[in-house]
Amino acid sequence: MKKVDEIYYKARKILLAPSDHKAIRGKVEKRMAEEKKHREDLDAHGPEFVVLLRPHTVWEKMNVTMSCIVQGAPSPTVTWFKDGIPIKPPDAPGKYTIENKIGLQTLEISRCSPLDSGRYSALASNTHGEAWSYATILVNKYQGSDAGDSICLDSARPEPDVDILDGFAVSFPKEGGSLTLSCCFSTPLNGQSGEVIWLHDGALLKESPLVKIATSAHDTRLTLTHVYKEDEGLYTVCLFTPTGCKEHSGYVFVRDAAAAEPGAAGSPLDVECRDVDRDYVLVAWKPPSADGGSAVIGYLIDRREVGTEEWVQCNHIPEKTCKFPALGLCENHTYQFRVRAVNAAGISRASRVSEPVTVTDRTAASRIMRIWTDRGEIVVTKDELEGDVRVPFPPTQLRVTEVGQTFAALGWNEPDPRGREPLTYCVEKSVVGSESWQQASMGITVSCPRFAVTELDKGKVYTFRVKSVNKYGISQPSAPSQGIPFGQIPAAPCCPRNVVPVRDSRTSVELLWEGPEDENELIGFYIYACQVGTNNWEICNNKPVNTNRFTVHGLSPRKEYVFRVKSVSPAGLSDYSVESTPIIVDNSISLPSAPYGLTLLSSGKREMVIAWNKPKFPMGPDILGYYLDCCDAAVAEWHEVNIKPITARVYKMGNLTEGRFYEFRVFAMNWAGVGPSSAVSDQFKCEQWTTPEPGPPFHLECTEVRNSSLHLHWQPPIYTGKDEVTGYLLELCETEGGEWRAINEKPTPSTHLRVSPLDEGKTYIFRVCALNSAGAGVPSLPSDPVCALTRPGTTEMGTGVDEDGNVFLVFQCPEVTDTSEFIWSKDEQDIATPERVRVETAGDVCKLILVDPGDADLGMYSVQVTGTDGLSSSHTLTNEELQKLKELSHRKKHPVIGVKSDWAVELLDKGSVRLWLQVESLSPTAHLQLIFNQKELSSNPTHRINFDRASGLVEIIIQNFTEADQGSYTAQLQDGKATGQFTLVLINDKFRALLSECDFQRNEWRRKQGPYFEKYLSWVVTDDCETLLTCKVTNTRCQTQVTWSKDGQPLTQPTYDPNTGTSALVIPQITKIDEGVYKVVVSDERGEDTSVLKILDQVFDDILREICTIAGSTASDLKMQPTAEGIKIYSSLKYNMDYMKKSWALNNKTLESQDRRRIGSDNHEVWLQIFNPTEADKGKYTLEMFVGKLTHKRELNLSQKVFDEVIAEYQRLKQAAFAEKNRAKVAKGLPDVVNVIENKALYLSCTVSGDPSPEVCWLKNDKEVAASDNCQVTVDKTSVTFSIQKVTSQDSGRYTLLVKNKHGSESAVITVGVYKCGEEATNQ
């Protein structure tokens, strides 16, 4: 290792030497340029054969198709060769057909001959290379056909051909569900006979957690375990066989799952990650087709690290465009993204999660160079070649890559040289026209040459620049970017135009349109369909189609639809296109497909009878006839058998040569022209049939296919053998590798049979053998495969009776076409007595009317509808059912008017009465006769009669209902042949109750002609325990007066609000004085109304009880208050009255009021006063307040500790009260201000109190006044006198009398003013 290290460091020293620096750097730069170009070409690659050509061995005159699948970018061009020579179809018209079906390359060779044997090859090439695939074709030739010998081949017999049966149809799975597509094979697969692949929109499908492919010898299945919108598209199964590629395709439409919130948009789709770097990913997606009824206002983007379940929202402001840069990612971490759409109703379901993406430094590889020398590999980094450069250079090629609603994405090239240290960037922004630059990446570490700038002002034009930063310093700024206006959201694309629908099939329509003229960044189109008259627009595709034509499936047959289209781009969806012209969904008129199933029914010496099956498609237009071609196998030349078309599917051909082999083919013709030929029949030998057994039956058809049964029909054989056919044996076989098994043990003599039971969903084929006395003959050709499954929307034949009493059988076929016919039969035969039936058809409904139902009409009736792929039904009319139908027919022919609602009575305004009856709808000629008490009643002003024939309503309006209206009312109705009689009896109690109610309603109406009480006078107790009397009047005017009185005396306290009509009287504290009769009168010139409330006896007690109930509930918890006399225990409440009984208890013993414990209360308190409390007063005190049966209970626990505290406070208050009582006080007698004339005398006297007697002291200006001859102080027990015999100006001032004893002191202040005679005295 030491030697290796020495060699490494020597080589490193040599490489860094100044003499070699320039050369090595040149090599490095050259290598970096090559690697850059290589990275640019990573997405492109040369052609690759995913499926190679396969060898084929075929019969002479057969067609063969060679196929392969090629992938490459750009798409390669395929050239076909035979034995090294290019194949040019124009050189051999009709021989070769070359096609490219979305990557599936095919070469079809028609009517092969031995000359077509050879080595075929396909060359695929593009700008990145070419690829070859080789396979051989061997064409086998018949021998000995001229002599009529048995057939032999030059080589071994090829494997039997395999075809696809029961291919999957168009599917409509729901988002979030699962889907399985399957196909069956005509013969089991083995290692040599076939290879199967599945394609989605031309791309090869492979196994994954979401895609499961299972192929067995009998079928192949593709299962999507969780369906997403991205799974919508064309699915194709390809079966590669020795004779070519067989394929079957079907479109899968993914329906939206239920919205996450009502009205929310559908989920976005096709989320992908672009421009991945160290901490940056640009997320792009496609908008949903469904907006939930309100436009999508933006999208929310979520991310999560792979391996975790936590989703982190990347943006808080919805992004309008379909792109968003995710910043702040951790290098070398793997992320997934999803998108949710936001509209006014809420947030949609999340899209499908994107593919995992790892954020790495995309430029790291370009900074490393590996050089191979004779000494080994040398690894050189770009940093080592930069010499002494430390401070980085500025970045280059700064550009704005994306502009969204909330961001502007930037990209640049890293500086060169970049310095030898880790590099970050500083991004700055500036408004165009200003000279200032602001940092746009504040607080964000930008470690890769991509960044998205946010927090830009809309409507301004910005330019940007970038600086490189490492630990040595900051570079000069890069050149500013081009100015970009921010806030201008890219406009949505223009709507498509010229939408044209074209008929395709019974359930589909092909739609064509022109895209918008400006197709910049156009993603595709969404299609919407609406059945005419419903205004219910449905989404036809949830994945944008990128062509200008689309086949809309899943439509209702024979219904009329209109269509419209939207364009899709990253900026959103366009407006709807103009609606297309309406179109009725039906089959298009196209050439018929080829007839099939050619079989030989009989053969003579010079004649043959040939039969064939009618074409499968199209089912709509009638087949006008057939053309038959014949070919002598020895001559190999085709010639026409008939010039005029044959209408039957059986043809007898003469003028043949006995012993020769003949081939046949058939063409079908309709109004569109002559269709393609059938497959060439087997070679039939013209010879006289002499076998005693009968020939094969033919034309097997299955009708009335249901989940567990079907009806099989066939034609008897043309060749009957030695005697007549006596019966038929039937066999069935399951298509998935089943064996033939018998259906009927005993031969059936008829040419039809109902086959049951069958397994629902399984596919069967059938064949029939005819029997005669010699035994069973050759079986017929197998029928077409039939799946035992009831077609959706299938209806069964029914029976009924119409309004005219006609008995009918009816069948409705929703899939009927313009050219369809209803073909009726009875007991599998044409109806023998057509005069007994009549057929009426209206739209998709057909009736078979029995003219005179009888025993001759019993039996099984069948109906088939042409042009509907065999829709049919049958019904067996039994004698019991026919009798029921005839009874119903009699009731229809001799009808009785039905009643919907029998006689009813209804009160109207003003006390009027409405008697009414409703029968079924009557004709305009219906007649009514009303009988009242056996007399006809006619309409008059007091008894108005109304008769509405359309609704069947009969009514009598009696304006003034009185005793005279008692009796019975009878309505006699006649409408054509229908009659009816209905009677109402109004007597006795029923009549009395109605009359009483009428009188009340009449009085009420009169009362309400003027002002009246909407709510009568009532009382209520408020939360403040006040009694509120209220009433409400209505229909008032400005002159309306509301007056109150009590016991006939008017009241002035009530209030009245004319705006609301409410009048109220508040009684704050109700007492016995408030008992009485309260009356309110509302009146004006139109009349008056009165409301009376008696607050007496029980009502008064109810009010008191309600007040006490509310007051008791507001009582506070018991509280304790020490006083100078003892302890007071009390509870406060809003209002207290004597009606509420109170009880006090100590330790559950009732207390009575006495000298030491006194119980009392006032309006707001209930108390217990304890005088001179002792230890016996401790314990739990309980106050109970009784309101009827309701009790309000309050408790207080006076424990030892609390009692001691209370006693201490009681003693303190007691002493304080005693001191307050006995302290020295100035009781009365002294004024506040005294004014005295100079030289006059001043006398001040007052009374003092206190025990012991207080000491008295007079102060002047806070100094004690000494007694003198002029100033004297006299104290006589409680009387104190202060006098100045002759006052002077010096005696003015503030005098204070201070009295005190051992309990306290008090002072009184007097202001004395002395003024001279003549001066005005002033208060100081």
Side-chain angles (χ1 to χ4, degrees):
M1 290 297 297
K2 182 178 180 182
K3 186 175 181 181
V4 173
D5 291 342
E6 289 177 354
I7 294 173
Y8 171 76
Y9 283 107
K10 286 180 181 180
R12 186 173 183 272
K13 184 175 181 181
I14 293 172
L15 290 171
L16 295 177
S19 59
D20 294 340
H21 180 79
K22 184 175 181 181
I24 294 175
R25 180 165 183 168
K27 290 183 179 180
V28 171
E29 291 179 347
K30 181 179 179 181
R31 180 64 176 172
M32 289 175 62
E34 292 175 354
E35 288 191 358
K36 180 178 179 181
K37 186 176 184 303
H38 175 68
R39 288 194 305 274
E40 292 175 352
D41 294 340
L42 281 179
D43 293 336
H45 58 87
E48 176 186 3
F49 281 90
V50 178
V51 177
L52 301 174
L53 293 175
R54 296 170 57 88
H56 296 268
T57 301
V58 297
W59 298 103
E60 185 182 14
K61 300 180 183 178
M62 289 180 60
N63 294 352
V64 64
T65 301
M66 305 189 71
S67 58
C68 58
I69 295 181
V70 185
Q71 292 183 351
S75 297
T77 302
V78 177
T79 306
W80 293 87
F81 296 85
K82 177 181 180 296
D83 297 330
I85 300 174
I87 296 176
K88 298 180 181 180
D91 294 345
K95 183 68 175 176
Y96 301 104
T97 303
I98 298 175
E99 291 184 345
N100 178 7
K101 302 177 181 178
I102 322 177
L104 176 65
Q105 309 288 336
T106 60
L107 168 66
E108 182 180 2
I109 306 173
S110 62
R111 296 188 65 79
C112 293
S113 67
L115 297 177
D116 293 315
S117 300
R119 188 183 189 217
Y120 288 80
S121 57
L123 169 64
S125 60
N126 63 8
T127 55
H128 298 283
E130 60 184 29
W132 289 84
S133 181
Y134 304 91
T136 58
I137 291 180
L138 176 63
V139 182
N140 290 312
K141 183 178 181 181
Y142 290 104
Q143 290 185 348
S145 58
D146 291 340
D149 299 335
S150 61
I151 300 173
C152 61
L153 299 174
D154 290 335
S155 61
R157 183 180 181 89
E159 293 288 338
D161 194 14
V162 184
D163 206 345
I164 297 175
L165 300 178
D166 282 342
F168 53 90
V170 176
S171 304
F172 300 89
K174 181 174 284 190
E175 182 183 9
S178 61
L179 172 68
T180 298
L181 305 177
S182 63
C183 288
C184 299
F185 304 132
S186 59
T187 56
L189 294 182
N190 55 43
Q192 301 295 326
S193 61
E195 178 186 355
V196 177
I197 63 170
W198 286 82
L199 305 175
H200 176 213
D201 289 337
L204 183 66
L205 287 175
K206 298 181 179 179
E207 284 269 355
S208 71
L210 297 177
V211 179
K212 304 296 181 183
I213 299 176
T215 301
S216 66
H218 304 289
D219 64 2
T220 179
R221 295 175 182 272
L222 169 70
T223 300
L224 304 180
T225 58
H226 191 287
V227 177
Y228 292 95
K229 291 182 180 180
E230 290 82 352
D231 296 321
E232 185 170 291
L234 183 68
Y235 285 79
T236 304
V237 57
C238 298
L239 172 62
F240 295 93
T241 67
T243 59
C245 176
K246 310 293 177 61
E247 61 181 61
H248 174 77
S249 299
Y251 209 93
V252 172
F253 297 86
V254 179
R255 299 304 193 200
D256 276 306
E261 301 177 34
S267 57
L269 67 156
D270 285 343
V271 180
E272 59 178 347
C273 301
R274 307 173 183 172
D275 300 341
V276 181
D277 217 313
R278 294 176 65 181
D279 61 354
Y280 176 97
V281 169
L282 182 66
V283 183
W285 61 91
K286 294 177 183 177
S289 58
D291 57 13
S294 58
V296 174
I297 60 177
Y299 300 90
L300 297 177
I301 296 86
D302 303 328
R303 73 166 189 266
R304 74 173 179 190
E305 285 196 42
V306 173
T308 67
E309 297 298 328
E310 181 182 1
W311 287 96
V312 179
Q313 189 169 311
C314 299
N315 61 321
H316 297 287
I317 300 176
E319 174 58 42
K320 181 67 175 176
T321 59
C322 294
K323 297 177 182 177
F324 185 80
L327 305 176
L329 307 179
C330 298
E331 188 175 1
N332 296 324
H333 285 222
T334 303
Y335 294 90
Q336 288 179 302
F337 297 86
R338 70 181 187 185
V339 183
R340 294 171 293 161
V342 182
N343 67 0
I347 302 175
S348 75
R349 295 164 60 98
S351 67
R352 183 176 183 173
V353 177
S354 70
E355 293 294 329
V357 59
T358 302
V359 290
T360 58
D361 186 359
R362 63 186 181 89
T363 61
S366 65
R367 295 197 294 271
I368 298 176
M369 183 65 190
R370 301 179 186 273
I371 301 177
W372 293 91
T373 67
D374 54 357
R375 298 181 180 181
E377 180 185 14
I378 301 175
V379 179
V380 182
T381 65
K382 184 177 179 181
D383 295 342
E384 294 174 328
L385 302 179
E386 293 181 352
D388 297 331
V389 176
R390 292 188 174 185
V391 177
F393 276 40
T396 60
Q397 297 186 19
L398 174 63
R399 58 203 176 274
V400 179
T401 58
E402 303 284 349
V403 178
Q405 182 186 14
T406 60
F407 69 91
L410 308 178
W412 60 86
N413 293 347
E414 67 175 13
D416 186 18
R418 65 194 296 275
R420 298 189 175 186
E421 295 298 329
L423 194 66
T424 59
Y425 301 94
C426 175
V427 181
E428 296 179 339
K429 63 182 178 181
S430 174
V431 178
V432 173
S434 68
E435 300 297 329
S436 62
W437 289 87
Q438 298 176 346
Q439 187 170 347
S441 58
M442 182 72 69
I444 302 176
T445 301
V446 184
S447 56
C448 70
R450 291 187 181 276
F451 185 71
V453 182
T454 58
E455 298 181 358
L456 302 176
D457 296 332
K458 293 183 179 181
K460 294 184 179 180
V461 180
Y462 286 90
T463 184
F464 306 92
R465 67 183 187 185
V466 185
K467 298 178 181 178
S468 305
V469 182
N470 64 11
K471 76 175 187 178
Y472 295 110
I474 303 175
S475 72
Q476 293 294 321
S478 66
S481 68
Q482 184 179 359
I484 58 121
F486 184 75
Q488 297 181 0
I489 301 173
C494 297
C495 61
R497 58 191 190 279
N498 297 337
V499 181
V500 179
V502 180
R503 281 186 177 181
D504 182 65
S505 72
R506 288 179 300 164
T507 59
S508 63
V509 167
E510 186 173 10
L511 206 63
L512 300 93
W513 64 88
E514 295 181 15
E517 295 181 355
D518 182 11
E519 297 187 358
N520 186 28
E521 292 190 296
L522 190 66
I523 296 175
F525 303 93
Y526 284 132
I527 296 94
Y528 305 83
C530 175
Q531 188 174 329
V532 173
T534 64
N535 199 30
N536 180 25
W537 287 94
E538 296 183 356
I539 301 167
C540 299
N541 62 315
N542 266 319
K543 184 177 180 181
V545 295
N546 50 17
T547 61
N548 286 23
R549 64 191 306 155
F550 185 75
T551 301
V552 181
H553 290 271
L555 304 177
S556 299
R558 299 294 301 157
K559 300 297 182 182
E560 193 173 23
Y561 284 83
V562 292
F563 302 86
R564 57 189 186 187
V565 186
K566 277 187 177 182
S567 303
V568 186
S569 77
L573 305 181
S574 71
D575 294 332
Y576 289 107
S577 67
V578 176
E579 291 182 9
S580 68
T581 55
I583 186 173
I584 296 176
V585 181
D586 206 344
N587 287 314
S588 60
I589 300 178
S590 58
L591 292 174
S593 60
Y596 64 100
L598 275 75
T599 183
L600 180 63
L601 301 182
S602 177
S603 177
K605 293 183 178 180
R606 296 180 57 83
E607 60 188 24
M608 288 182 177
V609 178
I610 304 294
W612 58 89
N613 293 331
K614 61 184 177 183
K616 295 182 178 180
F617 304 101
M619 292 174 290
D622 292 333
I623 300 297
L624 301 179
Y626 299 91
Y627 292 99
L628 182 65
D629 286 359
C630 177
C631 173
D632 189 333
V635 180
E637 290 184 358
W638 290 94
H639 63 87
E640 297 177 351
V641 175
N642 59 309
I643 303 300
K644 295 183 178 181
I646 306 168
T647 57
R649 287 182 286 126
V650 178
Y651 188 75
K652 182 177 182 180
M653 185 172 57
N655 298 323
L656 301 178
T657 303
E658 184 178 5
R660 286 186 177 270
F661 286 89
Y662 290 91
E663 296 174 336
F664 299 92
R665 65 185 182 187
V666 184
F667 302 81
M669 180 191 72
N670 64 6
W671 290 110
V674 179
S677 71
S678 66
V680 177
S681 70
D682 295 336
Q683 292 188 354
F684 301 133
K685 187 176 182 179
C686 183
E687 60 182 357
Q688 182 68 48
W689 282 6
T690 59
T691 59
E693 296 86 2
F698 60 100
H699 290 173
L700 271 69
E701 292 184 1
C702 296
T703 61
E704 302 178 44
V705 180
R706 303 296 184 262
N707 290 335
S708 59
S709 66
L710 56 81
H711 212 111
L712 188 64
H713 308 257
W714 61 91
Q715 295 296 324
I718 300 295
Y719 176 76
T720 60
K722 69 174 185 177
D723 53 15
E724 296 295 325
V725 174
T726 59
Y728 300 90
L729 294 176
L730 284 77
E731 295 179 317
L732 64 76
C733 173
E734 295 183 14
T735 57
E736 297 185 2
E739 297 181 354
W740 289 101
R741 54 188 174 89
I743 296 176
N744 57 327
E745 296 180 358
K746 295 182 179 180
T748 175
S750 61
T751 56
H752 61 88
L753 183 69
R754 182 171 296 278
V755 182
S756 67
L758 301 176
D759 294 333
E760 181 178 353
K762 287 191 176 182
T763 303
Y764 298 89
I765 54 177
F766 303 88
R767 67 183 183 186
V768 183
C769 296
L771 292 122
N772 62 10
S773 59
V778 225
S780 66
L781 286 180
S783 68
D784 293 335
V786 179
C787 181
L789 201 64
T790 303
R791 186 186 302 183
T794 298
T795 59
E796 298 294 345
M797 186 188 301
T799 59
V801 178
D802 61 20
E803 294 299 324
D804 296 329
N806 296 318
V807 177
F808 62 83
L809 293 93
V810 62
F811 181 66
Q812 182 177 13
C813 179
E815 299 183 21
V816 67
T817 65
D818 293 338
T819 58
S820 295
E821 292 183 5
F822 292 83
I823 301 176
W824 290 86
S825 61
K826 180 174 178 289
D827 298 328
E828 297 299 330
Q829 301 293 330
D830 293 339
I831 297 178
T833 54
E835 67 278 358
R836 296 185 61 84
V837 297
R838 185 173 72 253
V839 177
E840 293 182 358
T841 303
D844 59 355
V845 177
C846 183
K847 289 182 180 181
L848 181 71
I849 299 175
L850 305 181
V851 177
D852 184 15
D855 293 342
D857 296 310
L858 300 178
M860 185 182 73
Y861 290 84
S862 302
V863 62
Q864 290 189 9
V865 186
T866 62
T868 59
D869 193 18
L871 274 180
S872 58
S873 182
S874 64
H875 180 80
T876 300
L877 185 62
T878 64
N879 183 57
E880 181 181 1
E881 184 180 13
L882 181 60
Q883 294 305 320
K884 291 181 179 179
L885 293 173
K886 291 172 70 174
E887 290 176 5
L888 180 59
S889 173
H890 181 269
R891 291 198 298 268
K892 292 277 188 179
K893 292 179 179 179
H894 305 87
V896 175
I897 296 176
V899 61
K900 290 185 177 179
S901 178
D902 209 345
W903 279 109
V905 181
E906 182 180 342
L907 290 175
L908 304 179
D909 294 338
K910 304 181 185 180
S912 299
V913 174
R914 175 178 179 247
L915 310 179
W916 64 278
L917 161 76
Q918 187 173 18
V919 298
E920 60 191 15
S921 180
L922 303 175
S923 68
T925 59
H927 175 69
L928 167 67
Q929 185 177 16
L930 277 172
I931 306 297
F932 172 62
N933 292 340
Q934 299 181 356
K935 294 182 180 180
E936 185 175 354
L937 182 64
S938 59
S939 184
N940 56 61
T942 61
H943 294 70
R944 190 171 71 252
I945 300 173
N946 297 323
F947 181 30
D948 186 352
R949 294 171 175 81
S951 63
L953 183 65
V954 178
E955 64 177 5
I956 307 171
I957 308 296
I958 304 175
Q959 300 294 340
N960 187 17
F961 194 74
T962 64
E963 288 282 353
D965 296 305
Q966 183 177 195
S968 63
Y969 296 81
T970 301
Q972 296 178 349
L973 292 168
Q974 183 173 2
D975 187 10
K977 295 182 293 182
T979 59
Q981 180 169 306
F982 311 93
T983 301
L984 170 66
V985 179
L986 281 179
I987 58 175
N988 301 333
D989 293 342
K990 185 176 181 181
F991 174 78
R992 298 298 173 193
L994 179 59
L995 182 60
S996 176
E997 184 65 23
C998 286
D999 292 339
F1000 174 78
Q1001 293 291 345
R1002 194 176 298 114
N1003 293 334
E1004 279 291 288
W1005 177 81
R1006 291 170 183 167
R1007 183 177 68 89
K1008 293 180 180 180
Q1009 298 310 300
Y1012 65 92
F1013 284 94
E1014 183 178 341
K1015 292 182 180 179
Y1016 287 102
L1017 187 60
S1018 62
W1019 62 268
V1020 67
V1021 178
T1022 67
D1023 291 340
D1024 295 328
C1025 297
E1026 296 178 339
T1027 304
L1028 178 64
L1029 307 182
T1030 61
C1031 61
K1032 186 175 182 181
V1033 298
T1034 187
N1035 194 24
T1036 60
R1037 295 179 178 176
C1038 297
Q1039 300 83 6
T1040 301
Q1041 294 181 352
V1042 178
T1043 58
W1044 287 67
S1045 63
K1046 174 180 174 289
D1047 297 332
Q1049 300 299 319
L1051 297 175
T1052 59
Q1053 300 92 337
T1055 61
Y1056 169 60
D1057 184 358
N1059 294 326
T1060 62
T1062 302
S1063 182
L1065 172 64
V1066 178
I1067 305 175
Q1069 297 178 358
I1070 193 167
T1071 63
K1072 275 286 186 180
I1073 301 175
D1074 298 309
E1075 277 191 301
V1077 178
Y1078 290 81
K1079 180 179 180 181
V1080 183
V1081 178
V1082 56
S1083 62
D1084 58 20
E1085 68 278 4
R1086 294 171 296 162
E1088 68 176 30
D1089 195 10
T1090 303
S1091 178
V1092 176
L1093 176 63
K1094 295 181 180 180
I1095 303 182
L1096 298 170
D1097 303 328
Q1098 186 61 43
V1099 175
F1100 184 72
D1101 287 344
D1102 292 342
I1103 295 174
L1104 296 183
R1105 185 181 301 108
E1106 182 68 17
I1107 293 173
C1108 293
T1109 300
I1110 296 174
S1113 65
T1114 64
S1116 66
D1117 293 334
L1118 289 181
K1119 300 178 183 178
M1120 183 176 55
Q1121 178 183 355
T1123 65
E1125 292 82 11
I1127 302 173
K1128 181 182 180 182
I1129 300 174
Y1130 67 95
S1131 173
S1132 300
L1133 60 166
K1134 285 189 176 181
Y1135 185 58
N1136 177 40
M1137 46 194 328
D1138 295 337
Y1139 186 85
M1140 182 166 56
K1141 307 302 181 184
K1142 298 96 178 172
S1143 173
W1144 287 88
L1146 173 59
N1147 296 328
N1148 297 326
K1149 292 184 179 180
T1150 304
L1151 297 178
E1152 300 293 339
S1153 184
Q1154 50 183 298
D1155 292 340
R1156 206 172 66 81
R1157 292 191 183 103
R1158 294 182 183 174
I1159 298 173
S1161 63
D1162 59 18
N1163 286 343
H1164 299 288
E1165 277 189 0
V1166 178
W1167 69 79
L1168 171 64
Q1169 181 71 51
I1170 305 172
F1171 297 97
N1172 300 321
T1174 64
E1175 289 290 331
D1177 296 316
K1178 292 186 298 181
K1180 184 175 72 173
Y1181 286 85
T1182 303
L1183 169 62
E1184 290 183 327
M1185 296 169 283
F1186 303 97
V1187 184
K1189 295 182 180 180
L1190 180 64
T1191 302
H1192 301 282
K1193 190 175 183 179
R1194 304 290 185 268
E1195 295 180 342
L1196 173 65
N1197 191 9
L1198 190 58
S1199 62
Q1200 181 66 47
K1201 181 180 178 182
V1202 176
F1203 182 76
D1204 292 342
E1205 293 174 355
V1206 171
I1207 292 298
E1209 181 64 17
Y1210 156 66
Q1211 294 295 343
R1212 188 189 67 78
L1213 293 175
K1214 182 177 180 181
Q1215 292 174 5
F1218 179 78
E1220 178 64 23
K1221 178 180 179 182
N1222 294 294
R1223 72 176 175 83
K1225 299 177 184 177
V1226 179
K1228 58 182 179 179
L1230 290 177
D1232 292 332
V1233 179
V1234 177
N1235 293 313
V1236 184
I1237 299 174
E1238 192 176 11
N1239 296 326
K1240 296 292 184 178
L1242 171 66
Y1243 293 94
L1244 298 174
S1245 65
C1246 66
T1247 302
V1248 296
S1249 63
D1251 185 17
S1253 299
E1255 298 176 4
V1256 178
C1257 178
W1258 284 89
L1259 305 177
K1260 177 187 176 186
N1261 295 332
D1262 298 332
K1263 292 182 180 180
E1264 186 176 355
V1265 178
S1268 64
D1269 294 338
N1270 191 40
C1271 179
Q1272 296 178 357
V1273 177
T1274 304
V1275 179
D1276 182 10
K1277 295 183 180 181
T1278 61
S1279 179
V1280 178
T1281 303
F1282 176 79
S1283 63
I1284 301 176
Q1285 299 299 325
K1286 189 177 182 179
V1287 298
T1288 64
S1289 59
Q1290 287 79 11
D1291 296 322
S1292 297
R1294 186 181 63 158
Y1295 290 81
T1296 303
L1297 171 61
L1298 178 63
V1299 295
K1300 63 181 179 178
N1301 63 8
K1302 66 178 182 179
H1303 295 299
S1305 63
E1306 190 173 277
S1307 61
V1309 179
I1310 309 99
T1311 302
V1312 177
V1314 180
Y1315 62 96
K1316 295 181 180 181
C1317 185
E1319 292 181 352
E1320 184 178 355
T1322 60
N1323 293 326
Q1324 297 182 1

